[in-house]
Amino acid sequence: GPSQFFFQRQPSCRFLAVAFRCIVGALLTSRRVRKEARFLGLFTKPRAAKDDEHNAQQVLNLSLKGTRLADTPPHLLLEVVGGDVKLMYAEEKYMAHTFMKALERYNHPTLGALRSGSARTAGWRFGGAESLKEVLDDLIEGSGREQTRILLLQRGAAREALAELEAARDEGVRRVVMVLGDDEGLGDEACAGLVADFGARPISLGSVPLISNQCITVLNYLADQVWISPDLSQHSESQQQQQQQQQQ
């Protein structure tokens, strides 16, 4: 199923709000959670926000090569697995509170063990990541390089997202990884590295500028049209059966 990979710079309140909306857009349909989808968010912070030599863009570029500045902390990786999620509401305060509870469990393992049965944070997993390369390699290794397609959302890309999704389906791809940055984008060097080293295919959603969470919502809507989700298919069959019973 589709995996959304979101890179965020300094995790300020404003950017976290975008991340929460991205999670909702990736996993939540109008009726239920996409069980076959998952969201991965990589958060990073440079040594000093105003230090041009060690800014967030350089941290990202190095991370794609599998390295990390010695004085820069590891990335924080958030994974929200649709198949394990039990509760989710498209409400920003709810998402923020769930994020904080899941982060608290990660930072305090003893407390996390006591709350391991929490339905609210089920499917939410935090961890450390040395590099973006490491995370992407793990994603590719999970399904195999031939069965994994990385789609890079890039403004001005020649190929439309829908066309690439249809091509992936027709070629029997098992996992689609959609990569996008925060509202500032990933940068030219990072995009070039994703294409050269990971075989990412640049895609576009048209000429109208969209923010990150809007992009994820549209991409998953298109993926739903190309691949019929088992959950959505079962829901549709259930609706048809109910309508037939009502007509009888």
mmCIF file of all heavy atoms in Angstrom, residues 144-191:
data_model
loop_
_atom_site.group_PDB
_atom_site.id
_atom_site.type_symbol
_atom_site.label_atom_id
_atom_site.label_comp_id
_atom_site.label_asym_id
_atom_site.label_seq_id
_atom_site.Cartn_x
_atom_site.Cartn_y
_atom_site.Cartn_z
ATOM 1 N N GLY A 144 11.322 -4.922 -1.659
ATOM 2 C CA GLY A 144 12.220 -5.190 -2.777
ATOM 3 C C GLY A 144 12.243 -4.007 -3.729
ATOM 4 O O GLY A 144 11.233 -3.334 -3.930
ATOM 5 N N ARG A 145 13.392 -3.744 -4.298
ATOM 6 C CA ARG A 145 13.544 -2.567 -5.158
ATOM 7 C C ARG A 145 12.614 -2.622 -6.360
ATOM 8 O O ARG A 145 12.040 -1.595 -6.764
ATOM 9 C CB ARG A 145 15.002 -2.444 -5.617
ATOM 10 C CG ARG A 145 15.296 -1.174 -6.398
ATOM 11 C CD ARG A 145 16.789 -0.980 -6.574
ATOM 12 N NE ARG A 145 17.437 -0.681 -5.302
ATOM 13 C CZ ARG A 145 17.527 0.536 -4.787
ATOM 14 N NH1 ARG A 145 16.984 1.571 -5.414
ATOM 15 N NH2 ARG A 145 18.148 0.729 -3.641
ATOM 16 N N GLU A 146 12.429 -3.808 -6.946
ATOM 17 C CA GLU A 146 11.579 -3.912 -8.122
ATOM 18 C C GLU A 146 10.104 -3.738 -7.791
ATOM 19 O O GLU A 146 9.307 -3.385 -8.667
ATOM 20 C CB GLU A 146 11.795 -5.279 -8.800
ATOM 21 C CG GLU A 146 13.188 -5.497 -9.338
ATOM 22 C CD GLU A 146 13.553 -4.475 -10.399
ATOM 23 O OE1 GLU A 146 12.661 -4.123 -11.201
ATOM 24 O OE2 GLU A 146 14.714 -4.035 -10.424
ATOM 25 N N GLN A 147 9.742 -3.991 -6.542
ATOM 26 C CA GLN A 147 8.345 -3.901 -6.134
ATOM 27 C C GLN A 147 8.020 -2.602 -5.414
ATOM 28 O O GLN A 147 6.917 -2.431 -4.907
ATOM 29 C CB GLN A 147 8.004 -5.081 -5.216
ATOM 30 C CG GLN A 147 8.085 -6.438 -5.887
ATOM 31 C CD GLN A 147 7.028 -6.580 -6.978
ATOM 32 O OE1 GLN A 147 5.884 -6.202 -6.792
ATOM 33 N NE2 GLN A 147 7.428 -7.130 -8.115
ATOM 34 N N THR A 148 8.993 -1.688 -5.367
ATOM 35 C CA THR A 148 8.803 -0.409 -4.678
ATOM 36 C C THR A 148 8.958 0.737 -5.671
ATOM 37 O O THR A 148 9.899 0.763 -6.451
ATOM 38 C CB THR A 148 9.836 -0.239 -3.543
ATOM 39 O OG1 THR A 148 9.719 -1.325 -2.629
ATOM 40 C CG2 THR A 148 9.608 1.062 -2.785
ATOM 41 N N ARG A 149 8.043 1.665 -5.635
ATOM 42 C CA ARG A 149 8.117 2.839 -6.500
ATOM 43 C C ARG A 149 8.114 4.092 -5.626
ATOM 44 O O ARG A 149 7.192 4.303 -4.837
ATOM 45 C CB ARG A 149 6.909 2.851 -7.444
ATOM 46 C CG ARG A 149 6.836 4.005 -8.437
ATOM 47 C CD ARG A 149 7.929 3.938 -9.489
ATOM 48 N NE ARG A 149 8.099 2.636 -10.080
ATOM 49 C CZ ARG A 149 7.345 2.167 -11.087
ATOM 50 N NH1 ARG A 149 6.373 2.893 -11.602
ATOM 51 N NH2 ARG A 149 7.593 0.961 -11.586
ATOM 52 N N ILE A 150 9.170 4.895 -5.765
ATOM 53 C CA ILE A 150 9.257 6.146 -5.010
ATOM 54 C C ILE A 150 8.830 7.296 -5.918
ATOM 55 O O ILE A 150 9.410 7.504 -6.985
ATOM 56 C CB ILE A 150 10.684 6.378 -4.483
ATOM 57 C CG1 ILE A 150 11.075 5.255 -3.520
ATOM 58 C CG2 ILE A 150 10.786 7.726 -3.782
ATOM 59 C CD1 ILE A 150 12.478 5.380 -2.955
ATOM 60 N N LEU A 151 7.813 8.012 -5.486
ATOM 61 C CA LEU A 151 7.301 9.153 -6.237
ATOM 62 C C LEU A 151 7.663 10.423 -5.476
ATOM 63 O O LEU A 151 7.335 10.567 -4.299
ATOM 64 C CB LEU A 151 5.788 9.045 -6.424
ATOM 65 C CG LEU A 151 5.282 7.779 -7.131
ATOM 66 C CD1 LEU A 151 3.771 7.832 -7.291
ATOM 67 C CD2 LEU A 151 5.973 7.590 -8.481
ATOM 68 N N LEU A 152 8.328 11.327 -6.146
ATOM 69 C CA LEU A 152 8.809 12.569 -5.540
ATOM 70 C C LEU A 152 7.964 13.732 -6.031
ATOM 71 O O LEU A 152 7.994 14.079 -7.220
ATOM 72 C CB LEU A 152 10.282 12.782 -5.904
ATOM 73 C CG LEU A 152 10.888 14.140 -5.558
ATOM 74 C CD1 LEU A 152 10.901 14.357 -4.041
ATOM 75 C CD2 LEU A 152 12.308 14.240 -6.124
ATOM 76 N N LEU A 153 7.198 14.311 -5.135
ATOM 77 C CA LEU A 153 6.387 15.454 -5.521
ATOM 78 C C LEU A 153 7.287 16.668 -5.712
ATOM 79 O O LEU A 153 7.956 17.113 -4.777
ATOM 80 C CB LEU A 153 5.335 15.739 -4.443
ATOM 81 C CG LEU A 153 4.241 16.731 -4.846
ATOM 82 C CD1 LEU A 153 3.444 16.217 -6.037
ATOM 83 C CD2 LEU A 153 3.313 16.989 -3.676
ATOM 84 N N GLN A 154 7.301 17.182 -6.927
ATOM 85 C CA GLN A 154 8.232 18.251 -7.275
ATOM 86 C C GLN A 154 7.544 19.242 -8.210
ATOM 87 O O GLN A 154 6.975 18.854 -9.245
ATOM 88 C CB GLN A 154 9.480 17.674 -7.954
ATOM 89 C CG GLN A 154 10.612 18.650 -8.143
ATOM 90 C CD GLN A 154 11.861 17.961 -8.678
ATOM 91 O OE1 GLN A 154 11.811 16.820 -9.134
ATOM 92 N NE2 GLN A 154 12.995 18.638 -8.622
ATOM 93 N N ARG A 155 7.563 20.495 -7.828
ATOM 94 C CA ARG A 155 6.917 21.515 -8.648
ATOM 95 C C ARG A 155 7.572 21.585 -10.020
ATOM 96 O O ARG A 155 8.796 21.598 -10.143
ATOM 97 C CB ARG A 155 7.006 22.872 -7.959
ATOM 98 C CG ARG A 155 6.214 23.986 -8.656
ATOM 99 C CD ARG A 155 6.262 25.263 -7.844
ATOM 100 N NE ARG A 155 5.668 25.070 -6.518
ATOM 101 C CZ ARG A 155 5.684 25.990 -5.568
ATOM 102 N NH1 ARG A 155 6.289 27.155 -5.776
ATOM 103 N NH2 ARG A 155 5.118 25.755 -4.400
ATOM 104 N N GLY A 156 6.761 21.569 -11.054
ATOM 105 C CA GLY A 156 7.269 21.669 -12.412
ATOM 106 C C GLY A 156 7.634 20.339 -13.040
ATOM 107 O O GLY A 156 8.117 20.303 -14.179
ATOM 108 N N ALA A 157 7.409 19.230 -12.332
ATOM 109 C CA ALA A 157 7.720 17.915 -12.901
ATOM 110 C C ALA A 157 6.858 17.675 -14.138
ATOM 111 O O ALA A 157 5.699 18.085 -14.200
ATOM 112 C CB ALA A 157 7.470 16.819 -11.862
ATOM 113 N N ALA A 158 7.436 16.989 -15.122
ATOM 114 C CA ALA A 158 6.743 16.785 -16.395
ATOM 115 C C ALA A 158 5.648 15.732 -16.301
ATOM 116 O O ALA A 158 4.672 15.764 -17.050
ATOM 117 C CB ALA A 158 7.755 16.399 -17.471
ATOM 118 N N ARG A 159 5.788 14.791 -15.388
ATOM 119 C CA ARG A 159 4.871 13.653 -15.303
ATOM 120 C C ARG A 159 3.785 13.919 -14.265
ATOM 121 O O ARG A 159 4.070 14.312 -13.134
ATOM 122 C CB ARG A 159 5.666 12.411 -14.913
ATOM 123 C CG ARG A 159 4.884 11.113 -14.903
ATOM 124 C CD ARG A 159 4.741 10.525 -16.254
ATOM 125 N NE ARG A 159 4.436 9.096 -16.158
ATOM 126 C CZ ARG A 159 3.946 8.376 -17.144
ATOM 127 N NH1 ARG A 159 3.699 8.935 -18.314
ATOM 128 N NH2 ARG A 159 3.708 7.078 -16.991
ATOM 129 N N GLU A 160 2.529 13.698 -14.642
ATOM 130 C CA GLU A 160 1.420 13.874 -13.716
ATOM 131 C C GLU A 160 1.368 12.713 -12.720
ATOM 132 O O GLU A 160 1.672 11.568 -13.070
ATOM 133 C CB GLU A 160 0.093 13.964 -14.476
ATOM 134 C CG GLU A 160 -0.069 15.244 -15.288
ATOM 135 C CD GLU A 160 -0.261 16.471 -14.404
ATOM 136 O OE1 GLU A 160 -0.755 16.296 -13.265
ATOM 137 O OE2 GLU A 160 0.086 17.576 -14.847
ATOM 138 N N ALA A 161 0.954 13.008 -11.499
ATOM 139 C CA ALA A 161 0.905 11.989 -10.449
ATOM 140 C C ALA A 161 0.008 10.828 -10.828
ATOM 141 O O ALA A 161 0.358 9.662 -10.618
ATOM 142 C CB ALA A 161 0.434 12.621 -9.137
ATOM 143 N N LEU A 162 -1.155 11.111 -11.392
ATOM 144 C CA LEU A 162 -2.089 10.045 -11.743
ATOM 145 C C LEU A 162 -1.481 9.075 -12.746
ATOM 146 O O LEU A 162 -1.645 7.850 -12.633
ATOM 147 C CB LEU A 162 -3.387 10.639 -12.297
ATOM 148 C CG LEU A 162 -4.466 9.624 -12.710
ATOM 149 C CD1 LEU A 162 -4.868 8.756 -11.525
ATOM 150 C CD2 LEU A 162 -5.680 10.344 -13.285
ATOM 151 N N ALA A 163 -0.762 9.595 -13.733
ATOM 152 C CA ALA A 163 -0.135 8.737 -14.745
ATOM 153 C C ALA A 163 0.894 7.811 -14.117
ATOM 154 O O ALA A 163 0.981 6.616 -14.466
ATOM 155 C CB ALA A 163 0.513 9.598 -15.827
ATOM 156 N N GLU A 164 1.683 8.309 -13.163
ATOM 157 C CA GLU A 164 2.688 7.469 -12.502
ATOM 158 C C GLU A 164 2.033 6.425 -11.601
ATOM 159 O O GLU A 164 2.516 5.296 -11.501
ATOM 160 C CB GLU A 164 3.651 8.332 -11.690
ATOM 161 C CG GLU A 164 4.772 8.946 -12.494
ATOM 162 C CD GLU A 164 5.766 7.915 -13.045
ATOM 163 O OE1 GLU A 164 5.678 6.719 -12.668
ATOM 164 O OE2 GLU A 164 6.611 8.304 -13.864
ATOM 165 N N LEU A 165 0.972 6.790 -10.932
ATOM 166 C CA LEU A 165 0.264 5.824 -10.085
ATOM 167 C C LEU A 165 -0.331 4.705 -10.935
ATOM 168 O O LEU A 165 -0.269 3.520 -10.567
ATOM 169 C CB LEU A 165 -0.838 6.521 -9.294
ATOM 170 C CG LEU A 165 -0.360 7.417 -8.140
ATOM 171 C CD1 LEU A 165 -1.493 8.292 -7.635
ATOM 172 C CD2 LEU A 165 0.205 6.571 -7.002
ATOM 173 N N GLU A 166 -0.899 5.049 -12.069
ATOM 174 C CA GLU A 166 -1.467 4.034 -12.969
ATOM 175 C C GLU A 166 -0.370 3.134 -13.523
ATOM 176 O O GLU A 166 -0.543 1.918 -13.646
ATOM 177 C CB GLU A 166 -2.233 4.712 -14.094
ATOM 178 C CG GLU A 166 -3.520 5.368 -13.633
ATOM 179 C CD GLU A 166 -4.209 6.154 -14.732
ATOM 180 O OE1 GLU A 166 -3.527 6.559 -15.703
ATOM 181 O OE2 GLU A 166 -5.425 6.368 -14.616
ATOM 182 N N ALA A 167 0.791 3.721 -13.850
ATOM 183 C CA ALA A 167 1.917 2.929 -14.350
ATOM 184 C C ALA A 167 2.405 1.958 -13.275
ATOM 185 O O ALA A 167 2.716 0.797 -13.570
ATOM 186 C CB ALA A 167 3.048 3.858 -14.788
ATOM 187 N N ALA A 168 2.481 2.429 -12.025
ATOM 188 C CA ALA A 168 2.912 1.556 -10.926
ATOM 189 C C ALA A 168 1.953 0.389 -10.756
ATOM 190 O O ALA A 168 2.370 -0.760 -10.549
ATOM 191 C CB ALA A 168 3.001 2.369 -9.627
ATOM 192 N N ARG A 169 0.671 0.663 -10.836
ATOM 193 C CA ARG A 169 -0.322 -0.419 -10.729
ATOM 194 C C ARG A 169 -0.163 -1.421 -11.863
ATOM 195 O O ARG A 169 -0.153 -2.642 -11.638
ATOM 196 C CB ARG A 169 -1.730 0.181 -10.759
ATOM 197 C CG ARG A 169 -2.865 -0.842 -10.747
ATOM 198 C CD ARG A 169 -4.148 -0.247 -11.299
ATOM 199 N NE ARG A 169 -3.960 0.229 -12.669
ATOM 200 C CZ ARG A 169 -4.800 1.057 -13.284
ATOM 201 N NH1 ARG A 169 -5.864 1.521 -12.649
ATOM 202 N NH2 ARG A 169 -4.567 1.431 -14.543
ATOM 203 N N ASP A 170 -0.037 -0.936 -13.082
ATOM 204 C CA ASP A 170 0.055 -1.813 -14.250
ATOM 205 C C ASP A 170 1.322 -2.656 -14.235
ATOM 206 O O ASP A 170 1.356 -3.754 -14.808
ATOM 207 C CB ASP A 170 0.008 -0.978 -15.540
ATOM 208 C CG ASP A 170 -1.344 -0.273 -15.730
ATOM 209 O OD1 ASP A 170 -2.324 -0.691 -15.071
ATOM 210 O OD2 ASP A 170 -1.399 0.694 -16.515
ATOM 211 N N GLU A 171 2.373 -2.142 -13.583
ATOM 212 C CA GLU A 171 3.638 -2.878 -13.511
ATOM 213 C C GLU A 171 3.722 -3.779 -12.286
ATOM 214 O O GLU A 171 4.766 -4.385 -12.025
ATOM 215 C CB GLU A 171 4.800 -1.882 -13.514
ATOM 216 C CG GLU A 171 4.922 -1.115 -14.832
ATOM 217 C CD GLU A 171 5.886 0.055 -14.747
ATOM 218 O OE1 GLU A 171 6.756 0.037 -13.844
ATOM 219 O OE2 GLU A 171 5.766 0.989 -15.563
ATOM 220 N N GLY A 172 2.641 -3.872 -11.525
ATOM 221 C CA GLY A 172 2.601 -4.786 -10.386
ATOM 222 C C GLY A 172 3.373 -4.329 -9.177
ATOM 223 O O GLY A 172 3.780 -5.159 -8.348
ATOM 224 N N VAL A 173 3.588 -3.028 -9.032
ATOM 225 C CA VAL A 173 4.303 -2.496 -7.874
ATOM 226 C C VAL A 173 3.491 -2.746 -6.603
ATOM 227 O O VAL A 173 2.285 -2.519 -6.562
ATOM 228 C CB VAL A 173 4.562 -0.984 -8.052
ATOM 229 C CG1 VAL A 173 5.095 -0.365 -6.774
ATOM 230 C CG2 VAL A 173 5.543 -0.767 -9.200
ATOM 231 N N ARG A 174 4.159 -3.219 -5.560
ATOM 232 C CA ARG A 174 3.483 -3.544 -4.302
ATOM 233 C C ARG A 174 3.495 -2.391 -3.312
ATOM 234 O O ARG A 174 2.618 -2.290 -2.468
ATOM 235 C CB ARG A 174 4.150 -4.763 -3.656
ATOM 236 C CG ARG A 174 3.993 -6.059 -4.450
ATOM 237 C CD ARG A 174 4.764 -7.183 -3.779
ATOM 238 N NE ARG A 174 4.370 -7.341 -2.388
ATOM 239 C CZ ARG A 174 5.090 -8.023 -1.489
ATOM 240 N NH1 ARG A 174 6.238 -8.568 -1.844
ATOM 241 N NH2 ARG A 174 4.664 -8.147 -0.249
ATOM 242 N N ARG A 175 4.506 -1.541 -3.380
ATOM 243 C CA ARG A 175 4.595 -0.425 -2.424
ATOM 244 C C ARG A 175 4.911 0.870 -3.166
ATOM 245 O O ARG A 175 5.861 0.932 -3.936
ATOM 246 C CB ARG A 175 5.656 -0.689 -1.367
ATOM 247 C CG ARG A 175 6.005 0.551 -0.523
ATOM 248 C CD ARG A 175 6.948 0.220 0.607
ATOM 249 N NE ARG A 175 6.258 -0.477 1.677
ATOM 250 C CZ ARG A 175 6.874 -1.064 2.698
ATOM 251 N NH1 ARG A 175 8.189 -1.041 2.760
ATOM 252 N NH2 ARG A 175 6.175 -1.672 3.637
ATOM 253 N N VAL A 176 4.117 1.876 -2.900
ATOM 254 C CA VAL A 176 4.358 3.203 -3.442
ATOM 255 C C VAL A 176 4.734 4.122 -2.281
ATOM 256 O O VAL A 176 3.993 4.216 -1.296
ATOM 257 C CB VAL A 176 3.117 3.762 -4.163
ATOM 258 C CG1 VAL A 176 3.357 5.213 -4.584
ATOM 259 C CG2 VAL A 176 2.785 2.917 -5.386
ATOM 260 N N VAL A 177 5.887 4.760 -2.385
ATOM 261 C CA VAL A 177 6.345 5.700 -1.366
ATOM 262 C C VAL A 177 6.255 7.103 -1.954
ATOM 263 O O VAL A 177 6.897 7.408 -2.958
ATOM 264 C CB VAL A 177 7.798 5.411 -0.934
ATOM 265 C CG1 VAL A 177 8.247 6.401 0.140
ATOM 266 C CG2 VAL A 177 7.928 3.975 -0.430
ATOM 267 N N MET A 178 5.420 7.935 -1.356
ATOM 268 C CA MET A 178 5.252 9.314 -1.824
ATOM 269 C C MET A 178 6.095 10.231 -0.947
ATOM 270 O O MET A 178 5.877 10.295 0.266
ATOM 271 C CB MET A 178 3.782 9.714 -1.753
ATOM 272 C CG MET A 178 2.844 8.773 -2.507
ATOM 273 S SD MET A 178 1.111 9.178 -2.182
ATOM 274 C CE MET A 178 0.280 7.842 -3.050
ATOM 275 N N VAL A 179 7.038 10.926 -1.537
ATOM 276 C CA VAL A 179 7.971 11.764 -0.781
ATOM 277 C C VAL A 179 7.674 13.238 -1.043
ATOM 278 O O VAL A 179 7.569 13.665 -2.195
ATOM 279 C CB VAL A 179 9.433 11.464 -1.178
ATOM 280 C CG1 VAL A 179 10.390 12.330 -0.372
ATOM 281 C CG2 VAL A 179 9.752 9.986 -0.965
ATOM 282 N N LEU A 180 7.537 14.005 0.033
ATOM 283 C CA LEU A 180 7.388 15.443 -0.110
ATOM 284 C C LEU A 180 7.957 16.139 1.112
ATOM 285 O O LEU A 180 8.090 15.533 2.176
ATOM 286 C CB LEU A 180 5.924 15.842 -0.300
ATOM 287 C CG LEU A 180 4.951 15.630 0.846
ATOM 288 C CD1 LEU A 180 3.727 16.523 0.643
ATOM 289 C CD2 LEU A 180 4.485 14.183 0.926
ATOM 290 N N GLY A 181 8.307 17.392 0.942
ATOM 291 C CA GLY A 181 8.871 18.162 2.035
ATOM 292 C C GLY A 181 7.817 18.999 2.714
ATOM 293 O O GLY A 181 6.619 18.865 2.442
ATOM 294 N N ASP A 182 8.260 19.859 3.611
ATOM 295 C CA ASP A 182 7.330 20.796 4.224
ATOM 296 C C ASP A 182 7.033 21.896 3.206
ATOM 297 O O ASP A 182 7.368 21.775 2.027
ATOM 298 C CB ASP A 182 7.887 21.346 5.542
ATOM 299 C CG ASP A 182 9.242 22.015 5.369
ATOM 300 O OD1 ASP A 182 9.543 22.452 4.240
ATOM 301 O OD2 ASP A 182 10.007 22.088 6.350
ATOM 302 N N ASP A 183 6.397 22.967 3.644
ATOM 303 C CA ASP A 183 5.973 23.994 2.700
ATOM 304 C C ASP A 183 7.134 24.737 2.045
ATOM 305 O O ASP A 183 6.937 25.491 1.104
ATOM 306 C CB ASP A 183 5.047 24.998 3.405
ATOM 307 C CG ASP A 183 3.747 24.347 3.831
ATOM 308 O OD1 ASP A 183 3.432 23.266 3.296
ATOM 309 O OD2 ASP A 183 3.052 24.899 4.698
ATOM 310 N N GLU A 184 8.354 24.531 2.527
ATOM 311 C CA GLU A 184 9.532 25.152 1.914
ATOM 312 C C GLU A 184 10.164 24.250 0.857
ATOM 313 O O GLU A 184 11.113 24.633 0.188
ATOM 314 C CB GLU A 184 10.561 25.498 2.993
ATOM 315 C CG GLU A 184 10.064 26.537 3.989
ATOM 316 C CD GLU A 184 11.110 26.882 5.034
ATOM 317 O OE1 GLU A 184 12.314 26.706 4.739
ATOM 318 O OE2 GLU A 184 10.747 27.302 6.139
ATOM 319 N N GLY A 185 9.656 23.029 0.721
ATOM 320 C CA GLY A 185 10.190 22.118 -0.276
ATOM 321 C C GLY A 185 11.435 21.389 0.210
ATOM 322 O O GLY A 185 11.926 21.617 1.310
ATOM 323 N N LEU A 186 11.961 20.504 -0.626
ATOM 324 C CA LEU A 186 13.132 19.710 -0.270
ATOM 325 C C LEU A 186 14.442 20.312 -0.758
ATOM 326 O O LEU A 186 15.509 19.969 -0.253
ATOM 327 C CB LEU A 186 12.991 18.290 -0.836
ATOM 328 C CG LEU A 186 11.927 17.404 -0.186
ATOM 329 C CD1 LEU A 186 11.770 16.111 -0.970
ATOM 330 C CD2 LEU A 186 12.291 17.103 1.258
ATOM 331 N N GLY A 187 14.384 21.160 -1.766
ATOM 332 C CA GLY A 187 15.608 21.739 -2.314
ATOM 333 C C GLY A 187 16.093 20.959 -3.529
ATOM 334 O O GLY A 187 15.871 19.749 -3.647
ATOM 335 N N ASP A 188 16.776 21.634 -4.433
ATOM 336 C CA ASP A 188 17.206 21.026 -5.696
ATOM 337 C C ASP A 188 18.183 19.878 -5.484
ATOM 338 O O ASP A 188 18.087 18.836 -6.141
ATOM 339 C CB ASP A 188 17.844 22.088 -6.592
ATOM 340 C CG ASP A 188 16.834 23.134 -7.059
ATOM 341 O OD1 ASP A 188 15.620 22.835 -7.024
ATOM 342 O OD2 ASP A 188 17.269 24.239 -7.446
ATOM 343 N N GLU A 189 19.152 20.057 -4.582
ATOM 344 C CA GLU A 189 20.159 19.011 -4.372
ATOM 345 C C GLU A 189 19.535 17.747 -3.794
ATOM 346 O O GLU A 189 19.865 16.627 -4.210
ATOM 347 C CB GLU A 189 21.264 19.517 -3.440
ATOM 348 C CG GLU A 189 22.400 18.508 -3.252
ATOM 349 C CD GLU A 189 23.528 19.050 -2.389
ATOM 350 O OE1 GLU A 189 23.635 20.284 -2.239
ATOM 351 O OE2 GLU A 189 24.317 18.223 -1.879
ATOM 352 N N ALA A 190 18.632 17.918 -2.848
ATOM 353 C CA ALA A 190 17.969 16.763 -2.248
ATOM 354 C C ALA A 190 17.115 16.027 -3.280
ATOM 355 O O ALA A 190 17.114 14.792 -3.337
ATOM 356 C CB ALA A 190 17.106 17.203 -1.069
ATOM 357 N N CYS A 191 16.392 16.772 -4.102
ATOM 358 C CA CYS A 191 15.561 16.146 -5.133
ATOM 359 C C CYS A 191 16.418 15.382 -6.134
ATOM 360 O O CYS A 191 16.084 14.258 -6.536
ATOM 361 C CB CYS A 191 14.723 17.206 -5.850
ATOM 362 S SG CYS A 191 13.388 17.906 -4.846
#
